[in-house]
Amino acid sequence: MAVYRPPEGRPVSPHLPFGERRDGAWYGKSIISVKQFSRDDLEYAFGVAKEMREMVARVGSFDLLKGKVLANLFYEASTRTASSFVAAMARLGGSTIQIHEVHYSSVSKGESLPDTIRTLECYADCIVLRHPQVGAAAQAVEVASKPILNAGDGIGEHPTQALLDLFTIESELGQIDGKTITMLGDLRFGRTVHSLSRLLAQYDVKLRYVAPDILQMPRDIVDELASLGVEQVPHDRLDDVLPETDVLYVTRVQKERFEDPADYENVRGAYVVDGETMLAAKEHMVVMHPLPRVGEIATEVDADPRAAYFRQMENGMYVRMALLAMVLGKA
Ligand code: ASP
């Protein structure tokens, strides 16, 4: 079976059981939901991502996936997810078919998602899919014989983002257990917090949800996490939880998901993290954001060493390199 192995000449990290336990476990698999990842899987993926980070720093790119082709199929806007997958593939020696603007593809002629997937898998070894409908990636898996990577299905999930978010928390704070994570902003429509909260449920964490009532975390997710014993408390004021917060995960109010623009106008700008917020925060708190930001974090925060959102997006490439290596392997 084709498996990921560190490039020749590199000592195998003592933390990475290459050639043992999990080698090949993800080969040929689709990634649709964070629910597919056990804590062991996460540790394995993060180990590979660290190797990727080191290798990019040392050699820039290498031929692990030489000859492999990725199709990047985006029915919704993207900067980071789309370009980090392209960069990840390029740094692993593979190439990408980019369908970033489906309006210029046969989708504009009325082609269905299943037919578009069937087409692209004739040319590519793996398809990254972003789509406005919840469940679109799962629907694609039904017709695909190649791995599908869910890059966001409407307000559903964004598993690769959640993995890079968790990787960032661990990189910034050294560990995830014992931390209080505060999610701020649009927890109702924000798919990144839906996936991240589910992943965090595998750790010993406290979750705080700060949002206006209409943008609170969906009931089904709260119930799911409660049944796993996760401590979750909703708030509407950031001040109430800031002093205990280790990770402040800020999100954009998802304008495109509102049916009534007036509702959006009522809640936009509800929270702004600025220099004053940072004065009241823990010395080692980490500020994260999946980006794009549209005013939720003042630019004056960027120079604060606790602002991790630019490091977070860089991590996205290493984590996506790891996922591609795990799914596409190397013969
Ligand atoms: N880029 C993230 C997403 O695609 C967050 C956002 O758009 O606000 O979900």
Side-chain angles (χ1 to χ4, degrees), residues 80-81 130 151 158 161 191-192 252 254 256 289-292:
R80 276 149 293 272
T81 305
R130 170 169 291 183
H158 195 346
Q161 175 76 44
R191 56 193 168 202
T192 71
R252 165 180 77 91
Q254 310 273 300
E256 68 276 28
H289 194 309
L291 302 173

Side-chain angles (χ1 to χ4, degrees), residues 22 24 52-53 59 76 109 114 121 124 132 161-162 180 186 226 236 238 247 257 259 261-262 270 288 290 294 296 315:
R22 308 211 68 80
M52 295 300 178
R53 182 165 61 193
V59 294
E76 279 190 342
K109 301 178 189 166
E121 70 172 4
Q161 175 76 44
T180 297
D186 186 347
D236 59 7
L238 178 59
V247 176
R257 312 281 182 213
E259 274 172 20
M288 294 172 59
V294 284
E296 314 79 44
N315 288 338

Side-chain angles (χ1 to χ4, degrees), residues 59-71:
V59 294
S61 64
F62 45 103
D63 278 347
L64 187 76
L65 296 182
K66 188 171 182 195
K68 298 281 184 186
V69 177
L70 175 77

Side-chain angles (χ1 to χ4, degrees), residues 201-217:
Q202 300 203 40
Y203 295 79
D204 175 23
V205 294
K206 292 177 181 163
L207 299 183
R208 305 290 179 251
Y209 303 141
V210 181
D213 265 0
I214 66 155
L215 297 182
Q216 262 299 344
M217 189 63 92

